[in-house]
């Protein structure tokens, strides 16, 4: 452990993490560290991490040896926006769960994408409210049993990645915890992107979800992700019915556009009488 590359980014006094054995959050954390190491960051002093409430929100805080803010449930993005506006030279990264980011905090996500705010949001989608015991979330697959849908979920799950594209995000990708190299590459791209970047990671919660859908072991859920993932290029050639129950993975958009902070600082210049 002492020699592991991630140690330099972690507060040893906060370890071990609170995650259950087999939880996907550790994989996401590790991919993030690998990405920043490959980008050449030897520490996290150029970063600020914001998170809300939920298991995924614990990924950065308090474990990362960095400035981090653990905010209210769903409110990490407005806090991140405040940080970015005041300190535009810092990299601001939000970690959160699907309930936090695409449920209670969805409005903030949409508006951050619409503004092309220069932050990165990493949403760990375990398809339920994991921390509180596995209640249905806006991302729960149709038909899935959860503690609050004992007869199966009757709602359509939200396609958050597609929503981000239509809202105006500069970079959007979705991977699962099986796709660690792709995920790492996307995190690197997202951190280098000028505008709003969003990465959705489909992840396992064996404790609050897996055991209710007959996948008690983390490995069963990981195999489910592996066997049902369809690259976006292939998905575009398939019929809607063929894609039912599948996980579309890949990069949904990668474009250049001026970010919100850049525009606002230009506006301030203009208002002060500059050109
Ligand atoms: C305002 C408010 N409402 C509800 C809660 C209870 N609560 C805590 S975590 C959570 C769900 C978290 O789910 P998700 O964001 O998907 O994270 P996960 O635990 O699955 O990683 C809820 C509803 C809360 N803390 N604050
Ligand atoms: S309850 Fe689920 S999401 Fe939360 S730490 Fe345990 S396995 Fe991970
Ligand atoms: Mg969740």
């Amino acid at each position: 452990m002492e020699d592991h590359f991630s140690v330099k980014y972690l507060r040893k006094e906060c370890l071990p993490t609170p995650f259950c054995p087999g939880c996907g959050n550790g994989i996401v954390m590790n991919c993030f560290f690998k990405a920043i190491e490959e980008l050449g960051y030897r520490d996290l002093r150029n970063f600020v991490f914001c998170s809300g409430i939920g298991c995924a929100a614990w990924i950065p805080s308090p474990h990362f040896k960095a400035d981090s803010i653990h905010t209210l449930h769903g409110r990490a993005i407005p806090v991140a926006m405040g940080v970015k506006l005041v300190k535009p030279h810092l990299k601001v990264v939000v970690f959160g769960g699907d309930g936090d980011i695409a449920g209670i905090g969805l409005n903030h996500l949409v508006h951050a994408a619409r503004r092309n705010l220069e932050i990165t949001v990493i949403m760990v989608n375990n398809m339920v409210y994991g921390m509180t015991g596995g209640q249905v979330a806006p991302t729960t697959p149709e038909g899935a049993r959860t503690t609050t849908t004992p007869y199966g979920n009757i709602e359509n799950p939200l396609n958050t990645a597609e929503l981000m594209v239509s809202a105006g995000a500069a970079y959007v990708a979705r991977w699962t915890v099986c796709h660690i190299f792709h995920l790492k590459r996307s995190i690197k791209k997202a951190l280098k992107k000028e505008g709003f970047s969003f990465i959705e990671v489909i992840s396992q919660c064996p404790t609050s979800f897996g055991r209710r859908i007959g996948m008690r072991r983390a490995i069963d859920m990981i195999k489910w992700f592996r066997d049902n993932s369809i690259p976006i290029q292939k998905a575009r050639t398939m019929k809607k019915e063929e894609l039912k129950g599948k996980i579309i993975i890949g990069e949904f958009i990668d474009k250049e556009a001026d970010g919100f902070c850049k525009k606002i600082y230009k506006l301030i210049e203009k208002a002060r009488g500059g050109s």
Side-chain angles (χ1 to χ4, degrees):
M1 177 72 194
E2 284 297 315
D3 302 332
H4 197 264
F5 77 93
S6 63
V7 168
K8 57 181 170 294
Y9 306 120
L10 285 165
R11 283 185 216 281
K12 276 189 230 164
E13 64 276 20
C14 297
L15 297 176
T17 67
F19 306 134
C20 307
C23 177
N25 286 341
I27 300 175
V28 179
M29 186 192 261
N30 225 21
C31 283
F32 183 79
F33 287 151
K34 200 70 195 153
I36 56 168
E37 188 190 52
E38 288 184 12
L39 286 176
Y41 292 105
R42 295 290 159 255
D43 57 47
L44 298 172
R45 74 182 69 181
N46 285 320
F47 288 82
V48 175
F49 298 93
C50 300
S51 55
I53 303 296
C55 297
W58 280 82
I59 293 174
S61 163
H63 309 99
F64 287 11
K65 212 187 280 174
D67 288 325
S68 62
I69 311 175
H70 217 128
T71 71
L72 299 175
H73 192 23
R75 310 300 165 217
I77 291 175
V79 173
M81 179 166 171
V83 174
K84 186 68 189 177
L85 283 171
V86 176
K87 301 273 182 196
H89 60 286
L90 294 177
K91 295 254 172 239
V92 181
V93 181
V94 170
F95 278 93
D98 46 322
D100 196 49
I101 303 281
I104 191 170
L106 182 68
N107 56 338
H108 303 304
L109 181 71
V110 170
H111 292 296
R114 177 179 68 80
R115 292 175 172 132
N116 200 25
L117 179 68
E118 300 93 326
I119 63 170
T120 296
V121 176
I122 300 177
M123 183 181 90
V124 183
N125 180 2
N126 57 15
M127 303 171 226
V128 285
Y129 294 167
M131 177 178 266
T132 43
Q135 294 84 359
V136 72
T139 44
T140 305
E142 200 179 343
R145 275 186 205 219
T146 70
T147 45
T148 47
T149 57
Y151 302 105
N153 179 27
I154 56 167
E155 296 181 10
N156 265 327
L158 183 70
N159 189 335
T160 322
E162 290 286 10
L163 177 66
M164 288 297 90
V165 174
S166 54
Y171 183 78
V172 176
R174 179 192 288 131
W175 301 108
T176 81
V177 291
C178 286
H179 303 92
I180 52 172
F181 296 107
H182 301 79
L183 174 58
K184 180 193 70 182
R185 219 175 301 141
S186 273
I187 295 171
K188 286 166 75 174
K189 270 194 173 183
L191 292 175
K192 288 200 284 186
K193 188 64 41 194
E194 191 195 304
F196 183 80
S197 49
F198 176 81
I199 301 175
E200 177 176 353
V201 192
I202 307 290
S203 177
Q204 75 278 14
C205 170
T207 305
S208 297
F209 189 41
R211 67 195 172 98
R212 295 207 170 81
I213 55 167
M215 293 186 224
R216 195 170 282 272
R217 300 177 315 152
I219 190 68
D220 298 331
M221 298 194 85
I222 293 173
K223 282 183 182 159
W224 167 36
F225 302 154
R226 183 196 63 191
D227 297 341
N228 288 285
S229 292
I230 307 276
I232 187 162
Q233 295 79 0
K234 186 171 178 205
R236 284 182 179 138
T237 67
M238 291 168 70
K239 294 199 184 88
K240 208 173 164 202
E241 311 82 72
E242 293 175 305
L243 289 169
K244 219 169 164 45
K246 301 292 179 199
I247 302 164
I248 301 173
I249 53 163
E251 288 182 330
F252 286 62
I253 200 160
D254 182 1
K255 67 176 187 188
E256 304 302 328
D258 281 353
F260 184 75
C261 272
K262 188 173 177 180
K263 287 189 193 168
I264 214 160
Y265 275 92
K266 257 193 197 165
L267 196 65
I268 293 170
E269 259 316 290
K270 195 173 167 187
R272 282 180 179 153
S275 53

